Amino acid sequence: MDQVTIQGTAELMKHRRTSVVMATGGPAMVKAAYSSGKPTLAVGAGNVPCYVHKSKKQDIGEVAEMIVTSKCFDYGTACVSEQAVIADPEVARDLRHEMKLKGAYFCAPAEADRLAKVIFKGPQAMDPDKVGQSPQALADAAGFSIPPRTRCLVSEETEIGWHRPLSAEKLNPVLAFYEAKNSDHGIELAHSIARFEGWGHSSVVHSDDPTIVAKFASIPTGRVLVNTPAIMGGMGYSTDLEPSFMLGTGTWSGSITSDNVTALHLINIKRVAYESRPWRDIYKEYGE
């Protein structure tokens, strides 16, 4: 379509020549796709929490590099990239320092508030003109200065919800940062962030403690990525997940699948099935 509109997209999905619909976006897009009357693979938004456990203290520089590099990919437009960093108190200070060395700019509270107004027009309403913009463009729009080689912007947060917009999904090189009270609190924060605007999508844990990884894995996301950048792990490059940028969010957020959606999901398989056991054996096993 030369001019994209909601009505035009709805008509396209319902068109007689449309065989299957693949849609990615927020709850409204998912609902519209599943209401089209066509077989649909629709996936929802991602608000990816990234929990850094104290066991990574010796590797905190590498963890910081993974987080910043992942979030900066394509200026933060990938829904699988990190959205909020949660650090144990034992590593929070060092992680901040290392992230700054890797190009992260930690905003002052007033700067973060202005940044939120630039990115969001209101609750659940990102400004499309600000999606995928550079840190410099976002800072200029918000009226504050940043170093010339800044790769991403970071807002220190303590609360989660639409009263703190930067705790939601941001399709920009912008991160929220939380300092946990302890490991239990860190995992609790990760759960809360995933439930807020990110049910079923992806989450990340950096830990060398298998017990912590197992505990974190109870988070309601279809992918739990361990000790890897979210963008590389979620799309299958640094993990054994199927290569894809369309990541199912499962029934947590109303999707039909929690898989990484690939071409294999679009293939109809016809099965010619011969009898493999005598059908009358059912009478012998269960009685007449």
Side-chain angles (χ1 to χ4, degrees):
M1 294 185 292
D2 292 333
Q3 296 184 353
V4 179
T5 64
I6 293 176
Q7 183 181 6
T9 302
E11 291 298 325
L12 190 61
M13 289 191 292
K14 296 175 182 178
H15 194 275
R16 61 181 178 80
R17 294 183 63 185
T18 299
S19 299
V20 64
V21 175
M22 296 177 69
T24 179
M29 169 59 79
V30 172
K31 184 177 180 180
Y34 281 122
S35 300
S36 67
K38 299 296 178 73
T40 297
L41 289 161
V43 301
N47 194 21
V48 180
C50 173
Y51 170 53
V52 182
H53 183 246
K54 60 186 178 182
S55 61
K56 299 301 290 186
K57 189 173 182 64
Q58 299 304 314
D59 303 315
I60 206 67
E62 177 67 7
V63 172
E65 177 68 20
M66 285 192 274
I67 292 170
V68 174
T69 299
S70 180
K71 184 58 183 175
C72 292
F73 176 82
D74 205 18
Y75 282 153
T77 54
C79 58
V80 71
S81 63
E82 292 86 347
Q83 297 291 338
V85 178
I86 304 146
D88 274 349
E90 293 86 350
V91 296
R93 180 178 178 181
D94 289 342
L95 183 58
R96 286 189 193 91
H97 175 69
E98 290 293 337
M99 288 178 66
K100 289 175 183 177
L101 291 179
K102 304 303 188 284
Y105 174 81
F106 280 69
C107 300
E111 293 172 339
D113 290 342
R114 294 203 298 272
L115 180 63
K117 293 177 181 177
V118 165
I119 295 175
F120 294 96
K121 292 182 175 181
Q124 296 181 303
M126 272 185 276
D127 186 342
D129 292 334
K130 298 301 184 291
V131 168
Q133 296 296 305
S134 70
Q136 187 65 59
L138 294 173
D140 288 346
F144 61 90
S145 300
I146 59 174
R149 295 187 179 181
T150 297
R151 298 170 68 194
C152 70
L153 306 175
V154 183
S155 171
E156 298 238 25
E157 300 286 340
T158 57
E159 298 178 273
I160 300 164
W162 278 114
H163 61 294
R164 298 300 304 169
L166 296 183
S167 66
E169 181 185 33
K170 304 162 289 295
L171 299 181
N172 332 81
V174 178
L175 285 165
F177 188 100
Y178 296 82
E179 181 171 340
K181 299 174 183 176
N182 49 48
S183 295
D184 286 341
H185 183 228
I187 294 174
E188 179 186 330
L189 283 171
H191 276 249
S192 298
I193 290 164
R195 290 191 182 97
F196 174 57
E197 290 291 292
W199 272 63
H201 204 290
S202 306
S203 55
V204 189
V205 56
H206 293 277
S207 176
D208 291 332
D209 185 339
T211 303
I212 291 295
V213 173
K215 189 172 183 179
F216 184 86
S218 65
I219 198 167
T221 60
R223 278 153 298 279
V224 178
L225 309 169
V226 184
N227 295 328
T228 192
I231 184 68
M232 285 77 165
M235 56 80 73
Y237 179 79
S238 60
T239 62
D240 289 329
L241 299 178
E242 292 296 324
S244 177
F245 274 114
M246 185 175 182
L247 310 182
T249 51
T251 54
W252 290 289
S253 64
S255 176
I256 195 63
T257 182
S258 57
D259 292 341
N260 282 20
V261 178
T262 70
L264 294 177
H265 289 83
L266 304 179
I267 297 173
N268 287 323
I269 300 174
K270 179 184 289 187
R271 295 171 174 85
V272 179
Y274 283 81
E275 185 178 68
S276 61
R277 63 186 296 182
W279 72 271
R280 288 184 181 277
D281 281 1
I282 194 170
Y283 293 120
K284 297 177 184 179
E285 293 188 25
Y286 300 103
E288 295 186 17

PDB file of all heavy atoms in Angstrom, residues 28-54:
ATOM      1  N   ALA A  28      -3.479  -4.293  20.283  1.00  0.00           N
ATOM      2  CA  ALA A  28      -4.495  -3.923  19.294  1.00  0.00           C
ATOM      3  C   ALA A  28      -4.220  -4.604  17.953  1.00  0.00           C
ATOM      4  O   ALA A  28      -5.145  -5.103  17.296  1.00  0.00           O
ATOM      5  CB  ALA A  28      -4.536  -2.409  19.129  1.00  0.00           C
ATOM      6  N   MET A  29      -2.959  -4.644  17.539  1.00  0.00           N
ATOM      7  CA  MET A  29      -2.590  -5.307  16.290  1.00  0.00           C
ATOM      8  C   MET A  29      -2.856  -6.801  16.366  1.00  0.00           C
ATOM      9  O   MET A  29      -3.398  -7.407  15.425  1.00  0.00           O
ATOM     10  CB  MET A  29      -1.119  -5.043  15.979  1.00  0.00           C
ATOM     11  CG  MET A  29      -0.566  -5.903  14.832  1.00  0.00           C
ATOM     12  SD  MET A  29      -1.441  -5.662  13.268  1.00  0.00           S
ATOM     13  CE  MET A  29      -0.692  -4.134  12.724  1.00  0.00           C
ATOM     14  N   VAL A  30      -2.498  -7.420  17.480  1.00  0.00           N
ATOM     15  CA  VAL A  30      -2.724  -8.858  17.654  1.00  0.00           C
ATOM     16  C   VAL A  30      -4.218  -9.172  17.591  1.00  0.00           C
ATOM     17  O   VAL A  30      -4.645 -10.110  16.901  1.00  0.00           O
ATOM     18  CB  VAL A  30      -2.122  -9.341  18.984  1.00  0.00           C
ATOM     19  CG1 VAL A  30      -2.521 -10.786  19.264  1.00  0.00           C
ATOM     20  CG2 VAL A  30      -0.607  -9.212  18.958  1.00  0.00           C
ATOM     21  N   LYS A  31      -5.037  -8.378  18.266  1.00  0.00           N
ATOM     22  CA  LYS A  31      -6.485  -8.597  18.268  1.00  0.00           C
ATOM     23  C   LYS A  31      -7.067  -8.434  16.872  1.00  0.00           C
ATOM     24  O   LYS A  31      -7.897  -9.237  16.431  1.00  0.00           O
ATOM     25  CB  LYS A  31      -7.159  -7.622  19.237  1.00  0.00           C
ATOM     26  CG  LYS A  31      -8.663  -7.847  19.378  1.00  0.00           C
ATOM     27  CD  LYS A  31      -9.261  -6.898  20.401  1.00  0.00           C
ATOM     28  CE  LYS A  31     -10.769  -7.122  20.543  1.00  0.00           C
ATOM     29  NZ  LYS A  31     -11.359  -6.195  21.552  1.00  0.00           N
ATOM     30  N   ALA A  32      -6.619  -7.408  16.148  1.00  0.00           N
ATOM     31  CA  ALA A  32      -7.120  -7.170  14.789  1.00  0.00           C
ATOM     32  C   ALA A  32      -6.752  -8.316  13.865  1.00  0.00           C
ATOM     33  O   ALA A  32      -7.562  -8.760  13.042  1.00  0.00           O
ATOM     34  CB  ALA A  32      -6.562  -5.854  14.256  1.00  0.00           C
ATOM     35  N   ALA A  33      -5.531  -8.827  14.012  1.00  0.00           N
ATOM     36  CA  ALA A  33      -5.087  -9.927  13.158  1.00  0.00           C
ATOM     37  C   ALA A  33      -5.904 -11.182  13.415  1.00  0.00           C
ATOM     38  O   ALA A  33      -6.357 -11.851  12.467  1.00  0.00           O
ATOM     39  CB  ALA A  33      -3.604 -10.195  13.385  1.00  0.00           C
ATOM     40  N   TYR A  34      -6.118 -11.496  14.694  1.00  0.00           N
ATOM     41  CA  TYR A  34      -6.882 -12.704  15.008  1.00  0.00           C
ATOM     42  C   TYR A  34      -8.365 -12.547  14.698  1.00  0.00           C
ATOM     43  O   TYR A  34      -9.089 -13.533  14.617  1.00  0.00           O
ATOM     44  CB  TYR A  34      -6.685 -13.087  16.472  1.00  0.00           C
ATOM     45  CG  TYR A  34      -5.379 -13.808  16.731  1.00  0.00           C
ATOM     46  CD1 TYR A  34      -4.451 -13.307  17.645  1.00  0.00           C
ATOM     47  CD2 TYR A  34      -5.065 -14.974  16.052  1.00  0.00           C
ATOM     48  CE1 TYR A  34      -3.248 -13.953  17.868  1.00  0.00           C
ATOM     49  CE2 TYR A  34      -3.869 -15.629  16.266  1.00  0.00           C
ATOM     50  CZ  TYR A  34      -2.967 -15.126  17.177  1.00  0.00           C
ATOM     51  OH  TYR A  34      -1.773 -15.771  17.387  1.00  0.00           O
ATOM     52  N   SER A  35      -8.820 -11.318  14.503  1.00  0.00           N
ATOM     53  CA  SER A  35     -10.224 -11.070  14.159  1.00  0.00           C
ATOM     54  C   SER A  35     -10.443 -11.022  12.648  1.00  0.00           C
ATOM     55  O   SER A  35     -11.569 -10.788  12.206  1.00  0.00           O
ATOM     56  CB  SER A  35     -10.683  -9.741  14.784  1.00  0.00           C
ATOM     57  OG  SER A  35     -10.572  -9.780  16.193  1.00  0.00           O
ATOM     58  N   SER A  36      -9.385 -11.255  11.865  1.00  0.00           N
ATOM     59  CA  SER A  36      -9.492 -11.119  10.415  1.00  0.00           C
ATOM     60  C   SER A  36     -10.216 -12.280   9.762  1.00  0.00           C
ATOM     61  O   SER A  36     -10.619 -12.185   8.598  1.00  0.00           O
ATOM     62  CB  SER A  36      -8.084 -11.000   9.808  1.00  0.00           C
ATOM     63  OG  SER A  36      -7.368 -12.225   9.974  1.00  0.00           O
ATOM     64  N   GLY A  37     -10.359 -13.376  10.489  1.00  0.00           N
ATOM     65  CA  GLY A  37     -11.002 -14.552   9.912  1.00  0.00           C
ATOM     66  C   GLY A  37     -10.059 -15.428   9.119  1.00  0.00           C
ATOM     67  O   GLY A  37     -10.479 -16.397   8.487  1.00  0.00           O
ATOM     68  N   LYS A  38      -8.771 -15.105   9.135  1.00  0.00           N
ATOM     69  CA  LYS A  38      -7.754 -15.874   8.414  1.00  0.00           C
ATOM     70  C   LYS A  38      -6.812 -16.557   9.416  1.00  0.00           C
ATOM     71  O   LYS A  38      -6.651 -16.080  10.546  1.00  0.00           O
ATOM     72  CB  LYS A  38      -6.936 -14.955   7.500  1.00  0.00           C
ATOM     73  CG  LYS A  38      -7.752 -14.244   6.436  1.00  0.00           C
ATOM     74  CD  LYS A  38      -8.377 -15.231   5.446  1.00  0.00           C
ATOM     75  CE  LYS A  38      -9.233 -14.536   4.410  1.00  0.00           C
ATOM     76  NZ  LYS A  38      -8.434 -13.816   3.408  1.00  0.00           N
ATOM     77  N   PRO A  39      -6.198 -17.686   9.006  1.00  0.00           N
ATOM     78  CA  PRO A  39      -5.165 -18.274   9.865  1.00  0.00           C
ATOM     79  C   PRO A  39      -4.105 -17.224  10.177  1.00  0.00           C
ATOM     80  O   PRO A  39      -3.617 -16.538   9.269  1.00  0.00           O
ATOM     81  CB  PRO A  39      -4.595 -19.404   9.010  1.00  0.00           C
ATOM     82  CG  PRO A  39      -5.678 -19.731   8.036  1.00  0.00           C
ATOM     83  CD  PRO A  39      -6.375 -18.442   7.744  1.00  0.00           C
ATOM     84  N   THR A  40      -3.760 -17.110  11.460  1.00  0.00           N
ATOM     85  CA  THR A  40      -2.935 -15.976  11.879  1.00  0.00           C
ATOM     86  C   THR A  40      -1.822 -16.392  12.825  1.00  0.00           C
ATOM     87  O   THR A  40      -2.027 -17.193  13.730  1.00  0.00           O
ATOM     88  CB  THR A  40      -3.814 -14.912  12.580  1.00  0.00           C
ATOM     89  OG1 THR A  40      -4.767 -14.407  11.641  1.00  0.00           O
ATOM     90  CG2 THR A  40      -2.976 -13.759  13.090  1.00  0.00           C
ATOM     91  N   LEU A  41      -0.650 -15.849  12.573  1.00  0.00           N
ATOM     92  CA  LEU A  41       0.468 -15.911  13.503  1.00  0.00           C
ATOM     93  C   LEU A  41       0.743 -14.484  13.938  1.00  0.00           C
ATOM     94  O   LEU A  41       1.318 -13.699  13.173  1.00  0.00           O
ATOM     95  CB  LEU A  41       1.702 -16.519  12.833  1.00  0.00           C
ATOM     96  CG  LEU A  41       1.639 -18.015  12.528  1.00  0.00           C
ATOM     97  CD1 LEU A  41       2.684 -18.385  11.487  1.00  0.00           C
ATOM     98  CD2 LEU A  41       1.845 -18.820  13.798  1.00  0.00           C
ATOM     99  N   ALA A  42       0.295 -14.132  15.123  1.00  0.00           N
ATOM    100  CA  ALA A  42       0.471 -12.766  15.621  1.00  0.00           C
ATOM    101  C   ALA A  42       1.240 -12.803  16.930  1.00  0.00           C
ATOM    102  O   ALA A  42       1.001 -13.685  17.765  1.00  0.00           O
ATOM    103  CB  ALA A  42      -0.888 -12.090  15.823  1.00  0.00           C
ATOM    104  N   VAL A  43       2.167 -11.889  17.082  1.00  0.00           N
ATOM    105  CA  VAL A  43       2.981 -11.850  18.291  1.00  0.00           C
ATOM    106  C   VAL A  43       2.926 -10.449  18.895  1.00  0.00           C
ATOM    107  O   VAL A  43       2.747  -9.463  18.193  1.00  0.00           O
ATOM    108  CB  VAL A  43       4.440 -12.250  17.999  1.00  0.00           C
ATOM    109  CG1 VAL A  43       4.480 -13.658  17.423  1.00  0.00           C
ATOM    110  CG2 VAL A  43       5.108 -11.289  17.030  1.00  0.00           C
ATOM    111  N   GLY A  44       3.051 -10.394  20.211  1.00  0.00           N
ATOM    112  CA  GLY A  44       2.851  -9.141  20.929  1.00  0.00           C
ATOM    113  C   GLY A  44       4.130  -8.394  21.243  1.00  0.00           C
ATOM    114  O   GLY A  44       5.221  -8.733  20.774  1.00  0.00           O
ATOM    115  N   ALA A  45       3.980  -7.377  22.054  1.00  0.00           N
ATOM    116  CA  ALA A  45       5.090  -6.497  22.414  1.00  0.00           C
ATOM    117  C   ALA A  45       6.032  -7.176  23.398  1.00  0.00           C
ATOM    118  O   ALA A  45       5.666  -8.119  24.094  1.00  0.00           O
ATOM    119  CB  ALA A  45       4.544  -5.204  23.027  1.00  0.00           C
ATOM    120  N   GLY A  46       7.269  -6.685  23.438  1.00  0.00           N
ATOM    121  CA  GLY A  46       8.250  -7.218  24.374  1.00  0.00           C
ATOM    122  C   GLY A  46       8.765  -6.127  25.303  1.00  0.00           C
ATOM    123  O   GLY A  46       9.119  -5.044  24.853  1.00  0.00           O
ATOM    124  N   ASN A  47       8.759  -6.418  26.594  1.00  0.00           N
ATOM    125  CA  ASN A  47       9.356  -5.501  27.569  1.00  0.00           C
ATOM    126  C   ASN A  47      10.389  -6.326  28.330  1.00  0.00           C
ATOM    127  O   ASN A  47      10.126  -6.833  29.411  1.00  0.00           O
ATOM    128  CB  ASN A  47       8.299  -4.932  28.508  1.00  0.00           C
ATOM    129  CG  ASN A  47       8.805  -3.742  29.291  1.00  0.00           C
ATOM    130  OD1 ASN A  47       9.767  -3.089  28.900  1.00  0.00           O
ATOM    131  ND2 ASN A  47       8.166  -3.444  30.407  1.00  0.00           N
ATOM    132  N   VAL A  48      11.555  -6.479  27.738  1.00  0.00           N
ATOM    133  CA  VAL A  48      12.516  -7.505  28.134  1.00  0.00           C
ATOM    134  C   VAL A  48      13.334  -7.081  29.356  1.00  0.00           C
ATOM    135  O   VAL A  48      14.142  -6.147  29.276  1.00  0.00           O
ATOM    136  CB  VAL A  48      13.468  -7.814  26.956  1.00  0.00           C
ATOM    137  CG1 VAL A  48      14.484  -8.880  27.344  1.00  0.00           C
ATOM    138  CG2 VAL A  48      12.663  -8.241  25.731  1.00  0.00           C
ATOM    139  N   PRO A  49      13.149  -7.772  30.499  1.00  0.00           N
ATOM    140  CA  PRO A  49      13.992  -7.489  31.661  1.00  0.00           C
ATOM    141  C   PRO A  49      15.316  -8.231  31.551  1.00  0.00           C
ATOM    142  O   PRO A  49      15.382  -9.355  31.056  1.00  0.00           O
ATOM    143  CB  PRO A  49      13.156  -8.026  32.829  1.00  0.00           C
ATOM    144  CG  PRO A  49      12.366  -9.150  32.238  1.00  0.00           C
ATOM    145  CD  PRO A  49      12.110  -8.774  30.797  1.00  0.00           C
ATOM    146  N   CYS A  50      16.376  -7.605  32.019  1.00  0.00           N
ATOM    147  CA  CYS A  50      17.712  -8.204  31.997  1.00  0.00           C
ATOM    148  C   CYS A  50      18.273  -8.148  33.420  1.00  0.00           C
ATOM    149  O   CYS A  50      18.644  -7.074  33.912  1.00  0.00           O
ATOM    150  CB  CYS A  50      18.608  -7.435  31.026  1.00  0.00           C
ATOM    151  SG  CYS A  50      20.337  -7.958  31.049  1.00  0.00           S
ATOM    152  N   TYR A  51      18.299  -9.306  34.071  1.00  0.00           N
ATOM    153  CA  TYR A  51      18.747  -9.367  35.467  1.00  0.00           C
ATOM    154  C   TYR A  51      20.212  -9.775  35.534  1.00  0.00           C
ATOM    155  O   TYR A  51      20.615 -10.786  34.956  1.00  0.00           O
ATOM    156  CB  TYR A  51      17.876 -10.365  36.235  1.00  0.00           C
ATOM    157  CG  TYR A  51      18.385 -10.701  37.619  1.00  0.00           C
ATOM    158  CD1 TYR A  51      18.675  -9.704  38.543  1.00  0.00           C
ATOM    159  CD2 TYR A  51      18.598 -12.028  37.999  1.00  0.00           C
ATOM    160  CE1 TYR A  51      19.153 -10.003  39.807  1.00  0.00           C
ATOM    161  CE2 TYR A  51      19.060 -12.344  39.263  1.00  0.00           C
ATOM    162  CZ  TYR A  51      19.347 -11.331  40.161  1.00  0.00           C
ATOM    163  OH  TYR A  51      19.831 -11.626  41.417  1.00  0.00           O
ATOM    164  N   VAL A  52      21.015  -8.985  36.252  1.00  0.00           N
ATOM    165  CA  VAL A  52      22.441  -9.262  36.408  1.00  0.00           C
ATOM    166  C   VAL A  52      22.691  -9.686  37.851  1.00  0.00           C
ATOM    167  O   VAL A  52      22.581  -8.872  38.782  1.00  0.00           O
ATOM    168  CB  VAL A  52      23.293  -8.036  36.043  1.00  0.00           C
ATOM    169  CG1 VAL A  52      24.782  -8.375  36.162  1.00  0.00           C
ATOM    170  CG2 VAL A  52      22.966  -7.550  34.638  1.00  0.00           C
ATOM    171  N   HIS A  53      23.032 -10.954  38.032  1.00  0.00           N
ATOM    172  CA  HIS A  53      23.244 -11.530  39.358  1.00  0.00           C
ATOM    173  C   HIS A  53      24.665 -11.225  39.856  1.00  0.00           C
ATOM    174  O   HIS A  53      25.595 -11.033  39.069  1.00  0.00           O
ATOM    175  CB  HIS A  53      23.002 -13.045  39.280  1.00  0.00           C
ATOM    176  CG  HIS A  53      23.126 -13.745  40.587  1.00  0.00           C
ATOM    177  ND1 HIS A  53      24.119 -14.654  40.858  1.00  0.00           N
ATOM    178  CD2 HIS A  53      22.371 -13.658  41.714  1.00  0.00           C
ATOM    179  CE1 HIS A  53      23.959 -15.116  42.085  1.00  0.00           C
ATOM    180  NE2 HIS A  53      22.914 -14.529  42.629  1.00  0.00           N
ATOM    181  N   LYS A  54      24.826 -11.226  41.157  1.00  0.00           N
ATOM    182  CA  LYS A  54      26.112 -10.890  41.778  1.00  0.00           C
ATOM    183  C   LYS A  54      27.224 -11.862  41.396  1.00  0.00           C
ATOM    184  O   LYS A  54      28.420 -11.517  41.498  1.00  0.00           O
ATOM    185  CB  LYS A  54      25.967 -10.845  43.298  1.00  0.00           C
ATOM    186  CG  LYS A  54      25.504 -12.153  43.923  1.00  0.00           C
ATOM    187  CD  LYS A  54      25.247 -12.003  45.410  1.00  0.00           C
ATOM    188  CE  LYS A  54      24.736 -13.298  46.025  1.00  0.00           C
ATOM    189  NZ  LYS A  54      24.438 -13.140  47.474  1.00  0.00           N
TER     190      LYS A  54
END
